[in-house]
Structure formats: C-alpha cells, structure tokens
Amino acid sequence: MLTRNCLLLFLWFVFDNGLLTPLHSPPQNRPAKEQRRGIVELMRNGPSSFQRVKRGWVWNQFFVLEEYMGSDPQYVGKLHSDLDKGDSAVKYTLSGDGAGSIFTIDEITGDIHALRSLDREEKPYYTLRAQAVDIKTGRPLEPESEFVIKVQDINDNEPKFLEGPYTASVPEMSPVGTYVTQVTATDADDPTYGNSARVVYSILRGQPYFAVEPKTGVIRTALPNMDREVKELYQILIQAKDMGGQLGGLAGTTTINITLSDVNDNPPRFPKNIIHLRVPESSPVGSTVGRIKAHDPDAGKNAEVEYTIVPGDGGAMFDITTNEQTQEGILILKKPLDYETKKSYTFKVDASNAQLDHRFHNTGPFKDTATIKINILDVDEPPVFDKSSYTMNVYEDTPVGIIIGAVTAQDMDAGSSPVRYSIDWKSDLDSYFDIDPVKGTISTNELLDRENIPQHNISIVATKVNNPVLTSKVDVTVHVQDVNEFPPEFAIPYETFVCENSRVGQLIQTVSAKDRDMPPAGQKFFFKSPPETIKNPNFTVQDFRNNTAGILTKLSGFSRRLQDIYYLPVVIEDSGYPVLSSTNTLTIRVCGCDTDGSLLSCNVEAIFLPVGLSTGALIAILLCIIILLVIVVLYVGLRRQKKKETLMTSKEDIRDNVIHYDDEGGGEEDTHAFDIGTLRNPKVIKDNTCRRDVKPETEPCPKIPVSQDSTDIRDFICQRLQENDFDTAAPPYDSLATYAYEGEGSVAESLSSIESLTADTDEDYNYLNEWGPRFKTLAGIFGEQESHLDIKENNL
C-alpha cells in the first residue's frame, strides 16, 4: 500500500510540474486544481480504479512567454517519441490552434518554435495535436495526442478604473471615518500568477480631508467638522498600482468629485439688530409697507425662515408673512395710519428655521431677533367729512331755495386749509339741488315730485383751498316725502256678477283701493255709497274697516230679462291731509248660475237656449263621433279588401281564376268559339291532365278514372271529393274544384225552360216547398206570382 501511494504521488508531481504530458491532455478550460483533484480521487479509489497506460511519447510541458521581442523565433519545447532511435526514421507533424501560422515544428528533431509574439490577455493557451509518422512508409508510429502550450503572463497591463470619474456626497460636519464611496480598479494580467494583478490603492490628492483603504478602495472622511458653508466641493485623485504597490508596478488613476451635503447647522441671522422703515400715512390697509430678510447660509429646506412679530407696542398695527421664493419677511399694514395721531411704531420680529437639527441645539438658540422701527410720513390728505354718508328728507312741491340739510368737511393736516363744497354734476344732471360752497348747505333748485322721482342720490365734493387737487366725496340721499294730492281709486278693474237666484245679504264682490300717493304708516281707506244712492233697493256697500269693502245684495232674486246690467257708485276716502276722495263705478252683470252658485252664462241670448252642455263639451262630443265614423269606415274597407283577396292574394298566385270576357258569344250553335260538349262528356277528358292550382312537378299527374255510368252522379261526386281530399299535391288552402261532367237524376230534375211543355201560368210550383230549405226562397217567389195571377183572374 505504501509503495502504491508513493507511486501515485510521484505521478501527480510529474504531471503537475510539467515534466510529462499525458497522451490525452485534459480540456483546455479545466484548471489545475481540478486536475489535482482527479489524481487525489484516483489515489482514494485504490488500484481497482487506476490502470497504468503504456506510453510512447516523452516530452516536457510547454510554455511560451508573452510579448516576446527577440529577433529569432522563440523556442517552445521538443517533441520526442521513444520509438525514435535517432536515425532520422521518424517524422513529427503538428496540427491544431496556430499550427503552421503561430507554431512550427522541426519534422526531424521535434523542436517547436513560436513564430510571433503572443498576448496572454488575447488567448491564454493553445491546444495542439502531435503525430509521429514513419518517414519512409508514412505509417503512424504513435496515436495522435493533444497537448497544451500555455502563454506565460508578464506584467504588461496597468490597473484601470472602468467606472471613473466618480461622484459622491457626504453630509457636512460628519465625524472622521464616515463612509463616502468605494472605487474599484481592474487589471487584465493573470491574477493566479505572481503579483501582476494584485492592486493597491493610495490617495494622491485630497489630503487631509479624505483617506482611502489600500486593499478595498473605500473612501472615508479624514478630517472632522468639514463645513459646507466654508467649502462645498472637493476633488481627490486616487491611484491603483499593481505588483502589490512595489517598485516597478504599473499604476492607473481616477478622479472623485465629493460634495458636502447641507445640514441645518446655522440659524438665520439679521444683518442689523435695528431696522428702520418709513411708511406714508396714506398707505391703504393690506398694502406692503416694508421687507426684511434674515440670512441663512444653509441650503434648501434648511434655509427656510419663519418670521413672527413679538407681541408688544405697535405690533397690532402690522402683520408679517414669508416669501417662499426669496425667504423675505413682508410687513403688511393691518389698520389705517394717521400721522396726526401717532408718528412712529416700534416692535420686534423673530426669524427661525422651520427644519431643525437637534444635533446642533447645544450651540445656542436657532433664531434671531431684530427691532423694527417704522416712522409715519405726513401726507397732504384730502378733506374728511364728518359722516360717511348723509340722508335728508324733503316734501314734494317744496318751494325753490328752501334749505333741506348741510354737509361738513375739514382738513385734518397740520395746516388746516379751508374747504369748498360743490355738487358732482354727474349725480345731478337736472340740477334739482344747489349747495353753498362755503357753508355746505343744500337747497332745492327745482320743484320735486315724489311720483316722478321718489329719491335723489347726489355726490358732494369737498376741495382744499391750498391744494385743489386733493378732493373727497360723500354720498347724500334725498328722500322726497309725499303730499296727499291724488284721490284713491279701485285697486283693479272689477268684473262683478250677481246670480239670478241670489239671496238677500249675499256677498257678491270684495273691493280694495290704491293711491298714487305714498301712503304713510297706518293710512286707511274708507268705502261708502254716495248720499244720493243710499236708498238703492238692489245693492249696498259695507266697509270692512281693513282697507276693503264688500258689495251685498238687497234683493232675493234678479232677472236678466228685466235688467241684465247694474251700475253701483262707490265712494273711497283716504286718511291723508287733506282728505281726498273719489267716486268709482262698479259694473254688475246679472248671470245664470247653478244651485251651488257656479256661473253658467251671463249673455241675454243664453236665456232662450236649453240649459245643458257647454260649447266646449259639444265640440268634444262632435269630434269623438267623427273619429268613431272614420274608424268604422276604415274597418269596413279592410274587411272588403280581405274578401277580395280570398281567391287571389297576389299576382303570383297560380291557382285557377275566374276570367271575365266583355264579348257576347253566339249561343249554343257557336261552335267555333268553344265546344261546350267537352264540359259534359266525361270521355273527352284528356289523359295526364295536371292541376293548375299547384306548381307542376317532374312526375306526371296520376290518371283519374272516371265512372262510365253517367247516371250515378253521387258516386262520381264522392269519388272526386275523395280524390281531392287525399291528394298530397293539393295546395294548403281552399280552391275552386271544377267537375267536367253534368249529372242527371236530380230531385229538381231539369230547371231549363226550354224543356218545359206547359206555360208558366199553368205550372204549379208548390212542389218547391218539398225540396228543402234551400229552395224555400224560390218557392216563395213563385208562390207570390201564382197568387197574384189568381187575384187578377178573379178580378176579370
């Protein structure tokens, strides 16, 4: 066992160090670790899984140095077979990757040379096949075998940063060692051979702010409390060097742009502790009177400032808001200013951050306070009226020149200039009023009429004498009060009627009044009959004392035939001063009413008309009758049209139809037009006669046998009926069936007058009554004729 293990270990050493190459080399992409793992598995499996193979090839493992710059071809190695005795009887051949173009072999000696320089990064190894052949016979002396020529790496590639330049960010005021970013450099050299691909990182520019870890390339902060407000952008240079950073290694560099991100480490600051502002006293409420700003060196949300007015003297007159774009504090006037009342205001304003960082609270309060002093500027103002508006009352028809009121305005400035008054002409185009320019008294200039214009709205202008440009206006409303000059009258035109069957004391109309004068509060209207009609026997006026009155009947019945219209005068008085009254006439018509008092008719000619339906009802009934008649006519027309279409429903009907000719034949002897005998002789019926009331089929119609017994009409008819009933080709509707035979033996026998031997007068038609109900009508007709003839003979 010990001998076997020693032998396996020797073979592994020989293969792994390139002393011998097996006949069938492993695949070119199989690493050396897998080859060693296979040998170890052979050792573990024991002798049963390992068999010695007799080999004929003897050569060393081949290597070729990359980037060879010599003038002669680079020697790679030598192929040799143990069958080669050195007598030049063996010839060596080479095939595979690069054979003949990159690699060449001496056919006699087996020496292999590389014809050009190779690059391991382009192709790390080449797989070739060797063959030993008898030089005389060309017969292979050894089986063809594969071997590998490896390209040995040299340090010819510098490290490269494939993702550079880099951009990174780190918060300001970060502690030392805070992670910033990581850079990675790649080296195309062989990482498994030597130190050609072992990279070490170092920082060339960027100290002392940042540092880099040599093996990982991680960038970290190296200086504490770096302030963005001092320096925001840093650019550092990182070097990656292979050969483990030793002398002679190749190096590559990259740039990293590092930005310090902002944190709220600075409170807002006012540029001055005291801020002076000047505001004219004429500034309107809601206007901007000043702007202040506290500077915050932070950025973004960390630089947003909130302004507040500290409660105190003067703060109630102003308000402050923040402009989100400029972060300015805007002072807004809340109340009117008056220089003569107060000339200055002083208050404090705080500026603070909306976004706070608790890490920096220990440095002090994160706000700043400034004192605002506002001086009010005196402005030459227009005169000021003692009232915002004026209201005056005047009676209509007041004489011209009567003073109805006055306005007062004064200059509030220190100079106290005199004031002059005038009426704005646009508000009094007709010049109804006049004003004293010095005293401000307003008087009438025209007679006023309340019914024409009940209210006047004028504007009074006050002007300063020393500055006519400064003016002010005030509205004056003049109410024209009413004077009782129009008598009252009926509120509306009344249409009054009284029923013929009215009772005594019945209310037939309620009236009210109106007055073109403006009635004062509590004005009343009074209703009564004129003195000359107090004893009116028909109607009376009753005042209800609520500005209305009722018309009552004094009779228990009226007649349109005697009198159809009554005229009742009514006196209406108002409560004005002086008292005015008027007499209004009420027209009362006598009308016909039903028992419940509903109006029927008020026309005189309606008396002679029957009491019944109204005109509208009669018209409606007539329309209904006409509509019913139209429906009946349409229905009858449709029924007649359906009866006409019973035998022939369309032009395409193929059944037998009755054809009418408008010519008269020649009688029984006219044999040229038609042979009537064909209708009576059953022998004349043609064979294979098809029905014309159905669509003909391809098969011929069946032959219908006819009875030869011309006397047996009943059997013939029954036979024909049966044939029609059981005919499958018959149409699905009733049709006219013709019989080409005239029968005999009828109960009535022949009805032709040609064969009658007796005269009509001698004929007795009583036998018609015996033929049954179908001949009842005919028997009655001939019976009447016979009785009529008998009466005539008796008269003779």
Side-chain angles (χ1 to χ4, degrees):
M1 179 63 67
L2 180 60
T3 304
R4 179 174 60 101
N5 291 338
C6 292
L7 179 58
L8 291 176
L9 183 61
F10 173 75
L11 291 175
W12 172 79
F13 176 78
V14 170
F15 282 116
D16 187 62
N17 288 277
L19 297 179
L20 292 175
T21 301
L23 293 176
H24 302 283
S25 60
Q28 57 183 359
N29 58 354
R30 185 177 181 184
K33 291 183 178 179
E34 295 184 3
Q35 297 178 17
R36 289 193 291 268
R37 189 183 301 113
I39 296 174
V40 172
E41 290 178 356
L42 290 175
M43 294 175 64
R44 292 177 179 175
N45 293 334
S48 60
S49 60
F50 181 84
Q51 295 181 359
R52 181 180 180 186
V53 180
K54 182 178 181 181
R55 300 177 60 249
W57 289 101
V58 178
W59 62 67
N60 295 328
Q61 187 174 2
F62 302 124
F63 291 90
V64 59
L65 189 65
E66 70 169 334
E67 305 295 344
Y68 176 73
M69 305 300 294
S71 57
D72 297 331
Q74 184 181 2
Y75 179 76
V76 178
K78 183 181 181 64
L79 291 179
H80 180 72
S81 175
D82 53 2
L83 299 177
D84 187 3
K85 304 302 183 180
D87 53 359
S88 301
V90 179
K91 181 177 71 173
Y92 298 96
T93 61
L94 192 65
S95 62
D97 293 343
S101 59
I102 299 176
F103 303 101
T104 182
I105 187 172
D106 190 320
E107 296 180 350
I108 303 302
T109 62
D111 294 332
I112 301 174
H113 291 81
L115 299 178
R116 61 181 178 83
S117 176
L118 302 179
D119 187 0
R120 189 202 66 85
E121 287 72 34
E122 181 180 350
K123 191 175 180 63
Y125 55 85
Y126 296 84
T127 303
L128 294 95
R129 293 183 297 277
Q131 180 74 58
V133 182
D134 188 291
I135 197 171
K136 294 181 180 180
T137 63
R139 182 176 57 86
L141 301 177
E142 292 281 356
E144 188 179 46
S145 179
E146 287 186 355
F147 64 95
V148 176
I149 298 178
K150 293 184 179 179
V151 182
Q152 190 171 3
D153 182 52
I154 64 172
N155 189 17
D156 58 343
N157 292 280
E158 72 279 3
K160 295 181 180 180
F161 293 92
L162 302 179
E163 299 179 1
Y166 295 85
T167 301
S169 177
V170 63
E172 63 174 335
M173 312 301 288
S174 296
V176 176
T178 302
Y179 175 84
V180 179
T181 187
Q182 184 178 11
V183 296
T184 302
T186 59
D187 196 321
D189 293 327
D190 189 0
T192 63
Y193 180 76
N195 295 327
S196 298
R198 191 162 70 89
V199 179
V200 175
Y201 302 94
S202 62
I203 184 168
L204 300 181
R205 185 175 68 243
Q207 300 94 343
Y209 305 104
F210 300 94
V212 62
E213 294 181 359
K215 294 182 178 181
T216 61
V218 174
I219 311 298
R220 299 183 183 274
T221 58
L223 192 67
N225 299 327
M226 286 189 292
D227 194 355
R228 186 196 67 86
E229 289 72 32
V230 177
K231 186 177 181 181
E232 183 178 5
L233 181 63
Y234 295 85
Q235 189 178 68
I236 65 174
L237 184 64
I238 300 296
Q239 181 190 65
K241 190 174 183 181
D242 58 11
M243 298 298 292
Q246 298 178 4
L247 186 63
L250 302 179
T253 59
T254 187
T255 301
I256 305 176
N257 296 314
I258 301 177
T259 302
L260 295 182
S261 59
D262 183 63
V263 297
N264 192 12
D265 57 338
N266 295 284
R269 298 294 181 188
F270 285 106
K272 297 184 295 183
N273 294 331
I274 300 177
I275 301 174
H276 294 273
L277 298 175
R278 294 186 296 176
V279 180
E281 64 172 335
S282 59
S283 299
V285 174
S287 62
T288 300
V289 298
R291 295 173 181 266
I292 60 175
K293 184 175 183 179
H295 178 68
D296 192 331
D298 295 325
K301 291 186 175 296
N302 297 324
E304 294 179 356
V305 182
E306 292 182 350
Y307 299 91
T308 55
I309 295 178
V310 179
D313 181 30
M317 293 290 296
F318 304 92
D319 195 5
I320 190 168
T321 60
T322 302
N323 188 317
E324 296 181 357
Q325 283 72 32
T326 62
Q327 297 300 317
E328 290 180 321
I330 302 175
L331 287 169
I332 300 174
L333 183 63
K334 292 175 59 178
K335 298 179 181 179
L337 299 175
D338 188 9
Y339 174 81
E340 289 72 23
T341 303
K342 191 170 184 178
K343 297 179 175 57
S344 64
Y345 295 90
T346 301
F347 54 91
K348 293 182 178 181
V349 174
D350 287 340
S352 60
N353 283 134
Q355 305 289 334
L356 299 179
D357 194 333
H358 300 286
R359 294 180 300 173
F360 304 102
H361 283 181
N362 55 359
T363 59
F366 254 66
K367 68 178 182 177
D368 196 14
T369 304
T371 301
I372 310 298
K373 290 188 175 182
I374 298 179
N375 295 322
I376 308 303
L377 301 179
D378 186 21
V379 177
D380 196 6
E381 298 174 305
V384 179
F385 286 96
D386 58 351
K387 294 181 180 180
S388 59
S389 63
Y390 294 85
T391 301
M392 301 176 184
N393 298 319
V394 58
Y395 283 101
E396 62 179 337
D397 298 332
T398 299
V400 176
I402 298 298
I403 296 175
I404 61 175
V407 296
T408 303
Q410 60 180 343
D411 184 11
M412 304 302 296
D413 294 329
S416 185
S417 172
V419 178
R420 295 294 179 261
Y421 303 98
S422 63
I423 297 177
D424 187 0
W425 64 272
K426 295 180 181 178
S427 63
D428 189 19
L429 296 176
D430 296 328
S431 300
Y432 284 102
F433 304 95
D434 195 4
I435 189 170
D436 188 299
V438 177
K439 297 180 180 179
T441 56
I442 301 174
S443 59
T444 59
N445 197 35
E446 296 285 346
L447 290 177
L448 304 179
D449 186 6
R450 190 204 66 81
E451 287 70 31
N452 186 20
I453 303 177
Q455 178 178 303
H456 295 266
N457 297 313
I458 61 176
S459 296
I460 306 300
V461 180
T463 306
K464 294 176 67 171
V465 174
N466 60 358
N467 191 355
V469 178
L470 296 176
T471 61
S472 59
K473 288 185 180 181
V474 68
D475 294 329
V476 178
T477 303
V478 179
H479 296 287
V480 181
Q481 295 182 345
D482 183 52
V483 175
N484 194 16
E485 55 183 340
F486 294 99
E489 58 186 357
F490 277 146
I492 58 173
Y494 291 99
E495 295 181 359
T496 306
F497 71 93
V498 61
C499 295
E500 288 182 309
N501 56 356
S502 61
R503 303 180 304 276
V504 176
Q506 183 176 352
L507 176 64
I508 62 173
Q509 183 68 58
T510 301
V511 297
S512 61
K514 66 178 181 179
D515 195 338
R516 285 187 293 169
D517 295 320
M518 179 180 289
Q523 184 176 0
K524 290 284 189 177
F525 293 105
F526 304 98
F527 303 85
K528 62 182 180 179
S529 298
E532 63 273 11
T533 60
I534 293 178
K535 296 182 180 181
N536 189 328
N538 300 314
F539 305 96
T540 184
V541 178
Q542 181 179 355
D543 192 349
F544 293 150
R545 301 298 178 178
N546 59 355
N547 290 339
T548 62
I551 308 301
L552 305 178
T553 60
K554 298 176 67 177
L555 296 178
S556 61
F558 294 85
S559 174
R560 279 181 289 177
R561 297 181 179 180
L562 298 178
Q563 185 176 353
D564 61 335
I565 297 177
Y566 293 88
Y567 298 98
L568 178 65
V570 179
V571 177
I572 307 175
E573 295 181 352
D574 61 13
S575 60
Y577 182 81
V579 176
L580 298 179
S581 64
S582 66
T583 301
N584 299 263
T585 301
L586 184 66
T587 301
I588 304 174
R589 300 178 65 87
V590 180
C591 300
C593 305
D594 56 10
T595 56
D596 59 353
S598 299
L599 178 63
L600 295 179
S601 175
C602 292
N603 298 326
V604 177
E605 58 272 12
I607 302 173
F608 304 100
L609 296 177
V611 178
L613 298 175
S614 62
T615 304
L618 292 174
I619 293 174
I621 293 173
L622 290 176
L623 288 176
C624 293
I625 294 173
I626 292 172
I627 292 172
L628 289 175
L629 289 175
V630 171
I631 293 174
V632 170
V633 170
L634 292 176
Y635 177 75
V636 172
L638 292 176
R639 289 294 299 270
R640 288 181 178 179
Q641 184 177 2
K642 289 182 179 180
K643 290 181 179 180
K644 291 180 180 180
E645 293 179 357
T646 303
L647 298 177
M648 182 175 62
T649 58
S650 64
K651 295 180 180 181
E652 297 178 358
D653 195 359
I654 60 175
R655 295 176 295 166
D656 292 338
N657 300 316
V658 178
I659 301 173
H660 176 70
Y661 295 93
D662 292 332
D663 56 348
E664 185 175 358
E668 294 180 353
E669 297 181 359
D670 186 6
T671 59
H672 298 285
F674 189 79
D675 187 6
I676 300 178
T678 58
L679 297 176
R680 297 176 179 153
N681 191 353
K683 297 180 179 181
V684 185
I685 298 177
K686 297 181 180 180
D687 296 338
N688 300 329
T689 301
C690 297
R691 298 183 57 169
R692 292 183 295 166
D693 54 348
V694 294
K695 186 177 180 181
E697 299 178 354
T698 56
E699 296 180 0
C701 295
K703 182 178 179 181
I704 303 174
V706 180
S707 175
Q708 299 298 327
D709 188 2
S710 59
T711 61
D712 195 3
I713 301 302
R714 181 179 300 173
D715 296 338
F716 173 76
I717 293 175
C718 292
Q719 181 180 359
R720 292 301 299 273
L721 287 174
Q722 186 176 8
E723 291 172 357
N724 281 278
D725 292 339
F726 295 97
D727 187 5
T728 57
Y733 45 78
D734 295 335
S735 61
L736 181 62
T738 60
Y739 298 90
Y741 185 85
E742 183 175 355
E744 295 178 356
S746 173
V747 178
E749 296 181 351
S750 178
L751 300 181
S752 176
S753 61
I754 299 176
E755 298 179 359
S756 300
L757 299 178
T758 61
D760 293 337
T761 56
D762 299 333
E763 184 70 26
D764 184 8
Y765 296 100
N766 292 327
Y767 61 88
L768 294 177
N769 294 322
E770 301 176 358
W771 290 359
R774 296 183 180 181
F775 297 94
K776 184 178 180 180
T777 303
L778 187 61
I781 293 174
F782 283 97
E784 290 178 1
Q785 292 179 357
E786 182 179 0
S787 61
H788 177 69
L789 292 175
D790 293 340
I791 294 171
K792 186 176 181 181
E793 290 176 357
N794 294 330
N795 292 332
L796 292 176

